[in-house]
Amino acid sequence: MTANRFLQRVQRSGCLLPTGLLGGLWLKGLHPGLPGWSCPLRALTGIPCPTCYLTRATAACLTGDLDGGLQLHAFGPVVAAALVTWSIVSIRQRRLLPTGIPAWPLGAGVIALMSYWFLRLGVSLGGWPGPGLLQFPLAQLS
């Protein structure tokens, strides 16, 4: 089997990957005690990464706890909505990466995520004044 044919098969059969991810996060939201991966950056340096608490926030949003999701990470509802949309479009098009989606939202999302992370670091660890939405859940940092 050639590499090109293999990639075509993955593209066709991978349409269920977003739905599996969605289901796993939904279960994690219902049962927070399920095992997961810890942040390697935070484990090595003690500094939370840009996506720290995003998995928990997304899982909370998928189970209907929008307030809890926002307290963990402001991008939780956005990622939950994007994941649901990706799952639906992938299944409809039977493709892992749906066609017709522009690339600029991904770049804008990365810039917004990095900006949010720098603000969170300043408010939580640098002593900057800011609303509670910008603070890391410090009780969970240890």
Side-chain angles (χ1 to χ4, degrees):
M1 178 183 306
T2 65
N4 191 24
R5 189 165 179 207
F6 173 74
L7 292 175
Q8 288 174 347
R9 282 184 133 178
V10 168
Q11 177 71 330
R12 281 194 311 267
S13 62
C15 70
L16 297 178
L17 179 67
T19 306
L21 183 59
L22 180 71
L25 284 173
W26 177 72
L27 280 174
K28 181 75 172 162
L30 291 176
H31 306 286
L34 289 174
W37 292 281
S38 63
C39 176
L41 179 69
R42 194 175 77 206
L44 290 173
T45 66
I47 298 172
C49 76
T51 60
C52 271
Y53 304 103
L54 187 56
T55 303
R56 292 179 216 168
T58 304
C61 292
L62 287 173
T63 57
D65 184 14
L66 293 178
D67 187 46
L70 278 172
Q71 288 177 3
L72 290 169
H73 202 289
F75 282 70
V78 175
V79 172
L83 188 56
V84 168
T85 303
W86 181 26
S87 297
I88 292 169
V89 173
S90 289
I91 289 174
R92 283 188 176 170
Q93 292 185 7
R94 294 189 179 158
R95 297 176 53 92
L96 175 61
L97 301 173
T99 58
I101 298 174
W104 69 265
L106 182 61
V110 168
I111 291 170
L113 182 65
M114 294 305 290
S115 300
Y116 176 66
W117 179 55
F118 286 126
L119 284 172
R120 283 184 100 177
L121 285 176
V123 169
S124 295
L125 305 175
W128 297 354
L133 183 63
L134 291 176
Q135 293 183 355
F136 286 108
L138 294 177
Q140 298 178 10
L141 281 179
S142 54

